[in-house]
Structures are given as C-alpha cells and as structure tokens.
Amino acid sequence: VQDKNALHLYSVNGKYLGSETLKEEVSDMCVTGEYIVMGSLQGFLSIRDLYSLSLSISPLAMRLPIHCISVTKEYSHILVGLEDGKLIVVGVGKPAEV
C-alpha cells in the first residue's frame, strides 16, 4: 500500500528538489526561517528542516488532532490549537532556555 501523504519541495523556479513520505495527515503548517512546523490530525507536532525535509526533533505528541499552528515573531514559542479548544504553548530552544 502506497502512503498518500507526502511533503514535496520545489525551488522558486519550479524545479523539483525532493520529497518526504509522511505517516500523519497534515492539518496545518508554517514555514519559519529554515524550518517547517507541521501539525497533524493524529496529534503530532513536527519540526522539519526546510531544505532536507528531515525531522529536526522527534515529533511531539499532543494527544488530540491539531487544528492550527502559529509561531511567534521572535521564534521563541509555537502556539498549537487543538480540537478540544485548548491552546498549547511550546517553548523553542535548548531546555535551559525554555
């Protein structure tokens, strides 16, 4: 069975650069600096490198479907809206900085 969810990367000129098969169904995403921040209906928050598409950290389990994602303009926090209406604030950075 072929996976139906994939992330494809193209240059601004339309040249195909690569792709990555995804296990989850993406519900929202945003590009921030050199990273792609994605939320899934399976409840995972993922951060991927914009150029290699590889995971930068292990996906974080939010336990409920993610409906929306936003990153603060200082790139210090990720705001995650869940299906039950809760807003989860995730600190970005080394553990000592969070």
Side-chain angles (χ1 to χ4, degrees):
V1 177
Q2 187 176 15
D3 290 321
K4 60 183 176 184
N5 300 311
L7 190 60
H8 299 283
L9 181 65
Y10 292 86
S11 72
V12 291
N13 297 327
K15 181 183 176 198
Y16 175 77
L17 300 175
S19 65
E20 186 72 30
T21 302
L22 303 175
K23 295 182 178 124
E24 298 99 30
E25 190 175 345
V26 176
S27 54
D28 196 18
M29 67 167 31
C30 61
V31 176
T32 304
E34 298 184 358
Y35 297 96
I36 303 168
V37 182
M38 299 188 316
S40 72
L41 293 179
Q42 287 71 28
F44 289 98
L45 176 68
S46 304
I47 301 173
R48 292 181 174 269
D49 180 84
L50 179 60
Y51 304 105
S52 70
L53 300 180
S54 61
L55 284 168
S56 296
I57 61 165
S58 296
L60 301 172
M62 298 286 146
R63 304 179 196 266
L64 287 169
I66 295 172
H67 277 217
C68 61
I69 289 186
S70 183
V71 179
T72 58
K73 65 181 178 179
E74 303 85 14
Y75 306 136
S76 60
H77 295 84
I78 300 170
L79 308 175
V80 183
L82 301 181
E83 184 178 60
D84 65 355
K86 287 186 178 135
L87 177 67
I88 306 296
V89 180
V90 180
V92 178
K94 298 182 179 100
E97 298 170 356
V98 176

